[in-house]
Amino acid sequence: MTAVDEQPLTLHSLALNETPYPPLDSVRKAIADGIPEMHRYPQFYADHLMEFIAEWRGVAAESVVVGSGSVGVALQTLQAFTDGPQDEVVYGWRAFDAYPIITDMAGATRVEVPLTRDGEQDLDRIRDAVTDRTRVVILCNPHNPTGTTVTARALEQFLDALPPHVLVLLDEAYMEFAQDAVLPQGVDLLKAGRSGLVVLRTFSKAYGLAGLRIGYGLAAPETARRIRTMSVPYSITETARTAVVASVGAEAELEERIATLTAERVRTGAALRRLGWRVLESHANFLWLDEPERCAAFHQACARAGVRVRLYPGEGIRLTIGTPDANDLVLRAARGL
């Protein structure tokens, strides 16, 4: 038997913040019904989808941008609002791995501000890092990978303190999982007149459509128009549009899934804490194990148990919440260390 043969087959992937559940039956049926038309091109710029999202979210169609996941809209935003290495993009770090990637793709300069000891974005230090070269500040609420949050009061004070030339990219990819917390809603801030804001949402997480790569942004019309100039024609498939419409129509069922995952997050986090692991309070669909010294051993133990988790060497573990069976395997691995 080779060394490769001795490695267990990974049965559960809890590393990418995906939902462990497939699309709802009604969504799968809607997708299947559209298969006969897959030889046709989608709309050039997905106008029908943007109109649908606008009506759903209660904003003007001119305020909506769509892209390849929320990260696609984020990239379009940086491309539209930065113009070379003299322009800076500021964000807390550690954060979503794509932030430095899309900043580099846009040709701008990264400014990475350390998180607080409690895994929160340090708004004071982020504000202090803003200069006349800053074009965009990225905030993630709830934060990836720690699951921590920014309160409404803290966010409004932060926005008030920024100079007018700075655009804030508010990434709310995990907002649907934060129902147990009272968090500021980006769309409400836009409706209240916060024009220097782009709000990112996605159908990849709670809605379970990660494989279709569909996300959207909400912004003031003049901001959205500028971002749309960076849109790739035909990039939003008709399959994705169909799945979005069906998913929004099935939100009552989706709420049940979100409640299930939220309950599992609470259960798993509490069990890990009882076992002596430092787990931050999360409002997303994952947990952050703040264990710099023990994270590598935890990662290896989970792999032996047949579970893949996300290791940040020397920092911690991000554990996506999976099915109860998968979460129990993680707890069994943690118990053995």
Side-chain angles (χ1 to χ4, degrees), residues 262-284:
T262 300
E264 273 298 292
R265 180 190 73 205
V266 173
R267 180 184 77 90
T268 306
L272 286 168
R273 292 185 191 99
R274 286 195 297 270
L275 292 171
W277 295 87
R278 185 171 190 266
V279 181
L280 300 189
E281 192 69 32
S282 174
H283 298 282

Side-chain angles (χ1 to χ4, degrees), residues 52-178:
F52 174 83
I53 291 173
E55 182 176 357
W56 172 46
R57 299 313 306 258
V59 299
E62 294 77 17
S63 291
V64 181
V65 183
V66 292
S68 178
S70 56
V71 69
V73 180
L75 173 59
Q76 292 167 214
T77 302
L78 297 191
Q79 290 172 326
F81 282 87
T82 64
D83 188 27
Q86 73 277 5
D87 292 341
E88 296 177 344
V89 177
V90 182
Y91 50 86
W93 189 256
R94 167 109 17 214
F96 178 31
D97 294 336
Y99 294 164
I101 294 172
I102 61 176
T103 301
D104 291 349
M105 291 176 69
T109 295
R110 315 176 199 168
V111 178
E112 298 177 343
V113 178
L115 303 181
T116 70
R117 178 66 185 88
D118 293 325
E120 297 177 344
Q121 295 159 103
D122 193 329
L123 299 187
D124 289 338
R125 291 185 65 180
I126 290 175
R127 185 177 59 244
D128 290 344
V130 171
T131 69
D132 58 358
R133 296 177 56 187
T134 306
R135 294 294 171 264
V136 179
V137 169
I138 305 176
L139 294 180
C140 188
N141 200 31
H143 186 62
N144 178 13
T146 62
T148 57
T149 58
V150 176
T151 66
R153 179 177 175 81
L155 179 57
E156 292 195 13
Q157 290 177 339
F158 178 79
L159 295 175
D160 287 340
L162 290 178
H165 71 274
V166 176
L167 184 72
V168 174
L169 198 55
L170 182 60
D171 187 348
E172 294 183 340
Y174 300 96
M175 185 62 76
E176 287 84 359
F177 298 102

